[in-house]
Amino acid sequence: MKFRDGMWLVAEGKRPEYAEEVYSLTSDDGKAMSLLCPTRKIFQRSDSLNLPTLSVDLRAEFDGAISIEVTHWQGAQNPGPHFDLYPEGKPETRNTKITTTDTTTTLSSGSISATVKTAGHDFDIRFHATNGSQKELTSLLNRSVGFAYSPAPSNQMVTGNMTNFQHYIFTQTTLSVGETVHGLGERFGAFNKVGQTVTLWNADGGTSSDQAYKNVSFWISSRGYGIFIDAPDKIELEIGSERCCRVQTSIEGQRLKWYILYGPTPKEVLQKYSILTGRPGNVPSWSFGLWLSTSFTTNYDESTVNSFLEGMKARDTPIEVFHFDCFWMKAFHWCDFIFDSKMFPDPKGQIARLKSSGLVKKVCVWVNPYLGQASPVFKYAASQGYLLRRRNGDIFQWDLWQTGMGIVDFTNPNAIKWYVSCLEKLFDTGVDAIKTDFGERIPSEDVEWFDSSDPKKMHNYYAFIYNKIVYEALQNRFGANEAVLFARTATAGTQRFPLQWGGDCESTPEAMAESIRGGLSLGLCGYSFWSVDIGGFEGYPPPWIYKRWVAFGLLCSHSRLHGSNSFRVPWLVDDNNKSEQGCSRILSKWTALKARLMPYIFSQAQESVRLGLPLSLRAMCLEFPDDPTCWYLDRQFMFGDSLLVAPIFEESGEVEFYLPKGRWTNFFTTGEETRDGPGWFKERHEFNTMPIYVRQNTILVLGQASETRTVYDYCKDVQVCLFQTMPGAKSSLVDSEGKLVGVLEVGDDGNLRDQEFLHGSWHVTKKETLASR
């Protein structure tokens, strides 16, 4: 939201007031300070009358983190929900101090400090590194903190009745020359957000708009800091778009709180962010295998499902998880958790037969938090108070998505118990994982939640409690590290409930690029695991797009074939082309490659969870923050810390990509084809390869060439590949449960040591790359 019309004029219908100076500063515990900031400069006593003030409170939260809260009227209520911060406990605040000079007061919290100018009549707060470099991160300068009315009141008397006005709090942090801004959830537009207006409000808008399923109030700067906005409300950001040199954050209400986190590297920023909002949850090794879906509106039954799985097996493509989408339930009955008896007369038996046949190991089903009134379950849930109500006591209903649809009120503990009991019945039937779809279109007006939560805050926050409930139900049934969601909606903190997928994309190369930008942005908000609908959700992918998307999709952390009104099995895409470049063979090859990479992938997954990092898609700037080019790269990514992946968007196979400084080895050549960065390179690929480059000084452990399983002994019969390694290079190996088995290390003689945990027919290759299967 813009409050000004250019630099000189106020926006039509708005009245902004700004903190003009720091009139007084108080501190009581050495860890915080409170600033009283009038909205005009105070030169004499009479200047203090008949004017608003703003309170600006700064607190040292933990090493490298300072919170800033701006308040206009402190008597305003602050109803929940509030973000669930410090889920693993708040660190002790060490190395905090307040120092003063004749003109400034500085609050230090370990590596970051905030210096407030206290002399003169200026408003000036600088955030900077505590060390001797005094590196300035960002600032709050003149006209950077304030509040605004809309419409503009004629005088203060009329604000006695605030029902006629909207009240906003805003801050504007400075943007330095060349600074870039990233994150803010799964955003499908330009990777660098400078110049954009971003609204943090969950919406079911597909991947081709500025709307987002996953709005996360956290952004990361190329200058080594991040900002987390501690509010699940609707947040408006003008990122170099109201003032080109500032990021404006505004929210409707009387207070705005955010945290500034100093790295100095982006990885360290994400580590600190994970302290605040939680680390990603662990996912089991089986979840990294290929998932196959029925697709959305397609017609299917047990025979259809079996034919697909048998077809995949005949084409050397193992399926780890089979997913039943919406129509496992009767039309108009979503989501009452009852299998359509006409199509699935024996669901428990069918699932048991699927698993015993060896065609699939796990089963997933689709759910959502809504309930159509056509189902008899609706009447029961309504009578028990499990559904969201309007202010007059009616059940909130609309005909959006499902006829007469109600929304489960997860602020009601009894509604949670009922919903979990429905999930447990699914688990009893043989279901192992849950796709938690929808949860974005939560009404914010004319509703009253069971616990009296603020409806506007609940709009985004609903994603957190919805996914938390289902994830914890899975954990309670299957174990802490065996729970897997396929979630679409998210907000800050839902990285704790993996995994997420990118929503409804079209079957076009442009949509694949949109999806990559979304995955990169979400990864920079601390999400380790992310997936996409391979081939695109909407439409009918031509064979070339399907095959290029297969290559990209199998190098996401998780891989799922899913569509809208058409199936995604390969032989239906290209009329069962059986050639080496046909869809079936290409899918088989990329699925096998991911299986071979599992020793590397699963080890990297544990590290990603520990540090709060994306496994894949990992933005290049996380691994190469000192390379300015890497902060703009949105068509390639890192898979873990050692593999660079550049998807292809052209039918011809032409691709251009960037390699940062260092020596890189082409994964798909049998010789020693290397490239030296930094630089841009062009290549042309058939469908069974694309640019995958291995970073120098990498120990890459691969399963044997014939491996097609996802879960196996990652220390047996493996190939240990040394890519341009130096003495001291290390690589951790874990077992299929994620437990550390050992650490491989290159000795001073250039050879591998610490090998005792490897067994079977394992072997070492040096400076060589591996041909595709």
Side-chain angles (χ1 to χ4, degrees):
M1 177 173 290
K2 292 181 171 67
F3 298 106
R4 300 196 69 83
D5 181 3
M7 287 187 65
W8 316 122
L9 303 178
V10 173
E12 181 71 23
K14 303 291 193 301
R15 178 178 169 178
E17 300 274 3
Y18 301 96
E20 293 288 355
E21 69 170 68
V22 176
Y23 180 76
S24 65
L25 184 154
T26 59
S27 174
D28 54 5
D29 61 359
K31 296 180 180 180
M33 50 192 189
S34 183
L35 318 180
L36 178 62
C37 305
T39 54
R40 67 169 175 250
K41 299 183 188 298
I42 308 299
F43 297 103
Q44 55 191 9
R45 285 186 173 184
S46 60
D47 292 338
S48 65
L49 302 176
N50 296 311
L51 85 161
T53 62
L54 288 150
S55 299
V56 180
D57 296 299
L58 297 96
R59 175 168 290 276
E61 297 289 346
F62 57 91
D63 187 1
I66 290 176
S67 66
I68 302 92
E69 185 168 23
V70 179
T71 309
H72 179 202
W73 290 337
Q74 294 185 359
Q77 297 182 46
N78 188 19
H82 304 290
F83 284 129
D84 182 20
L85 301 185
Y86 303 109
E88 297 182 36
K90 184 177 180 179
E92 291 186 25
T93 52
R94 301 188 180 95
N95 301 318
T96 63
K97 62 179 180 179
I98 294 177
T99 55
T100 60
T101 70
D102 291 340
T103 58
T104 64
T105 299
T106 298
L107 169 67
S108 297
S109 181
S111 61
I112 189 173
S113 294
T115 295
V116 180
K117 185 177 180 182
T118 53
H121 297 275
D122 299 318
F123 186 89
D124 188 317
I125 304 174
R126 312 269 173 157
F127 299 95
H128 55 89
T130 302
N131 61 24
S133 72
Q134 293 289 300
K135 175 186 175 181
E136 186 165 312
L137 307 175
T138 189
S139 304
L140 293 168
L141 303 179
N142 65 303
R143 289 190 168 180
S144 64
V145 171
F147 69 90
Y149 292 107
S150 179
S154 56
N155 59 60
Q156 283 297 324
M157 286 293 292
V158 298
T159 63
N161 181 3
M162 284 299 293
T163 59
N164 300 320
F165 300 95
Q166 292 173 298
H167 184 283
Y168 300 91
I169 293 281
F170 61 85
T171 61
Q172 291 183 349
T173 53
T174 55
L175 279 172
S176 298
V177 176
E179 183 175 357
T180 60
V181 169
H182 309 267
L184 294 172
E186 184 189 56
R187 316 212 76 83
F188 304 107
F191 180 51
N192 174 19
K193 304 301 183 286
V194 173
Q196 298 182 37
T197 296
V198 174
T199 301
L200 301 182
W201 190 250
N202 285 356
D204 177 7
T207 68
S208 292
S209 76
D210 61 354
Q211 296 181 10
Y213 302 101
K214 306 170 186 66
N215 288 271
V216 180
S217 53
F218 173 75
W219 54 271
I220 195 166
S221 162
S222 58
R223 288 183 67 82
Y225 70 92
I227 287 184
F228 168 61
I229 307 159
D230 185 12
D233 309 66
K234 186 176 187 177
I235 299 169
E236 306 269 4
L237 293 113
E238 299 289 343
I239 308 169
S241 48
E242 174 164 306
R243 290 200 65 180
C244 295
C245 56
R246 293 183 179 181
V247 177
Q248 176 175 280
T249 301
S250 63
I251 191 170
E252 186 175 357
Q254 293 290 337
R255 56 177 59 82
L256 170 62
K257 183 176 184 179
W258 46 263
Y259 295 72
I260 182 168
L261 312 174
Y262 178 47
T265 69
K267 283 187 176 181
E268 290 171 295
V269 173
L270 285 183
Q271 284 181 260
K272 291 180 172 67
Y273 176 68
S274 71
I275 292 173
L276 262 180
T277 62
R279 292 185 299 172
N282 281 296
V283 291
S285 52
W286 57 260
S287 69
F288 290 88
L290 184 60
W291 295 46
L292 175 63
S293 167
T294 60
S295 292
F296 171 34
T297 60
T298 54
N299 192 29
Y300 64 93
D301 55 15
E302 182 170 2
S303 176
T304 310
V305 171
N306 289 344
S307 69
F308 286 163
L309 292 172
E310 288 166 356
M312 286 293 197
K313 182 178 180 180
R315 291 163 176 81
D316 299 319
T317 304
I319 298 299
E320 195 75 38
V321 184
F322 190 82
H323 169 69
F324 292 83
D325 215 58
C326 314
F327 280 97
W328 66 270
M329 293 173 284
K330 294 172 70 173
F332 296 108
H333 283 216
W334 305 340
C335 174
D336 63 5
F337 299 95
I338 300 171
F339 275 86
D340 182 348
S341 58
K342 180 179 178 182
M343 304 301 290
F344 306 102
D346 180 22
K348 186 172 184 178
Q350 178 182 351
I351 292 173
R353 288 188 291 274
L354 277 178
K355 293 180 179 180
S356 63
S357 70
L359 293 173
V360 68
K361 294 188 179 69
K362 304 289 182 179
V363 167
C364 175
V365 297
W366 174 98
V367 304
N368 68 31
Y370 311 143
L371 185 54
Q373 70 178 13
S375 171
V377 176
F378 178 93
K379 184 176 182 180
Y380 170 77
S383 69
Q384 298 299 307
Y386 298 160
L387 301 180
L388 177 63
R389 293 185 179 275
R390 296 185 184 274
R391 288 176 178 169
N392 67 1
D394 291 348
I395 302 297
F396 178 90
Q397 291 180 267
W398 54 19
D399 293 329
L400 186 66
W401 181 241
Q402 288 282 285
T403 301
M405 184 194 83
I407 299 172
V408 179
D409 185 346
F410 287 129
T411 71
N412 183 343
N414 290 327
I416 294 174
K417 292 178 183 178
W418 168 74
Y419 199 83
V420 169
S421 72
C422 295
L423 294 171
E424 288 172 343
K425 291 176 183 177
L426 290 179
F427 304 153
D428 292 339
T429 308
V431 171
D432 307 281
I434 299 291
K435 174 180 172 180
T436 50
D437 204 354
F438 287 83
E440 301 93 359
R441 292 173 175 167
I442 305 301
S444 58
E445 297 179 355
D446 190 29
V447 292
E448 185 170 343
W449 294 90
F450 179 84
D451 70 348
S452 301
S453 286
D454 183 331
K456 290 185 178 179
K457 292 181 180 179
M458 276 297 298
H459 175 86
N460 283 350
Y461 195 75
Y462 191 87
F464 181 88
I465 52 179
Y466 168 36
N467 286 294
K468 181 176 188 285
I469 288 163
V470 181
Y471 186 75
E472 290 181 348
L474 285 161
Q475 286 185 313
N476 290 337
R477 171 57 68 96
F478 300 112
N481 296 326
E482 287 290 314
V484 181
L485 300 181
F486 237 83
R488 191 174 76 173
T489 188
T491 190
T494 53
Q495 69 271 11
R496 292 159 51 186
F497 321 123
L499 59 105
Q500 285 70 32
W501 102 95
D504 298 347
C505 47
E506 297 174 319
S507 298
T508 65
E510 293 80 11
M512 186 165 74
E514 293 163 5
S515 297
I516 291 174
R517 294 194 295 269
L520 292 171
S521 294
L522 190 67
L524 287 175
C525 296
Y527 288 73
S528 288
F529 308 111
W530 181 87
S531 185
V532 68
D533 291 341
I534 294 176
F537 177 71
E538 297 287 357
Y540 299 82
W544 79 266
I545 290 178
Y546 180 90
K547 289 182 283 189
R548 294 300 182 198
W549 211 312
V550 159
F552 157 53
L554 266 298
L555 290 171
C556 297
S557 76
H558 289 75
S559 308
R560 183 181 69 156
L561 294 164
H562 180 67
S564 178
N565 53 4
S566 60
F567 296 116
R568 289 292 178 264
V569 290
W571 58 90
L572 295 181
V573 176
D574 65 356
D575 295 325
N576 200 21
N577 183 333
K578 297 181 180 179
S579 72
E580 287 299 305
Q581 293 294 312
C583 290
S584 294
R585 288 299 301 148
I586 294 303
L587 178 61
S588 176
K589 289 178 179 181
W590 286 102
T591 304
L593 173 61
K594 190 169 190 181
R596 286 200 71 195
L597 285 168
M598 276 303 297
Y600 168 78
I601 291 172
F602 206 46
S603 175
Q604 289 283 313
Q606 313 313 307
E607 189 73 353
S608 297
V609 166
R610 186 179 71 85
L611 300 176
L613 302 176
L615 171 61
S616 181
L617 289 51
R618 181 177 296 184
M620 298 293 298
C621 56
L622 281 175
E623 292 297 330
F624 305 95
D626 296 328
D627 185 335
T629 300
C630 288
W631 288 92
Y632 292 89
L633 298 175
D634 62 4
R635 300 192 304 274
Q636 63 186 72
F637 54 89
M638 297 294 291
F639 195 153
D641 58 23
S642 296
L643 296 183
L644 184 150
V645 180
I648 299 172
F649 306 94
E650 300 290 339
E651 185 173 6
S652 65
E654 294 176 343
V655 59
E656 186 174 20
F657 58 94
Y658 178 81
L659 296 177
K661 183 179 180 180
R663 178 154 291 183
W664 298 82
T665 306
N666 187 338
F667 183 86
F668 283 113
T669 56
T670 55
E672 295 185 25
E673 183 181 332
T674 60
R675 294 188 184 275
D676 291 326
W680 286 92
F681 301 90
K682 291 183 178 181
E683 292 180 356
R684 185 169 183 159
H685 289 256
E686 298 294 336
F687 293 108
N688 59 335
T689 64
M690 70 174 170
I692 300 178
Y693 277 82
V694 186
R695 193 176 185 175
Q696 69 181 62
N697 211 33
T698 292
I699 303 172
L700 183 64
V701 181
L702 299 172
Q704 56 187 322
S706 60
E707 187 60 75
T708 61
R709 298 169 297 169
T710 304
V711 182
Y712 54 92
D713 187 340
Y714 302 143
C715 297
K716 182 180 180 182
D717 301 331
V718 295
Q719 187 167 7
V720 183
C721 312
L722 308 183
F723 290 92
Q724 316 292 336
T725 51
M726 301 286 289
K730 294 181 179 180
S731 179
S732 299
L733 268 182
V734 299
D735 62 18
S736 60
E737 300 295 319
K739 297 176 182 176
L740 180 66
V741 175
V743 178
L744 296 171
E745 183 174 0
V746 174
D748 293 337
D749 60 358
N751 294 317
L752 197 66
R753 63 185 188 189
D754 303 328
Q755 310 163 7
E756 65 277 0
F757 49 87
L758 299 179
H759 52 279
S761 301
W762 64 274
H763 62 286
V764 177
T765 58
K766 291 185 178 181
K767 300 182 181 180
E768 294 181 38
T769 53
L770 291 304
S772 60
R773 177 174 172 267

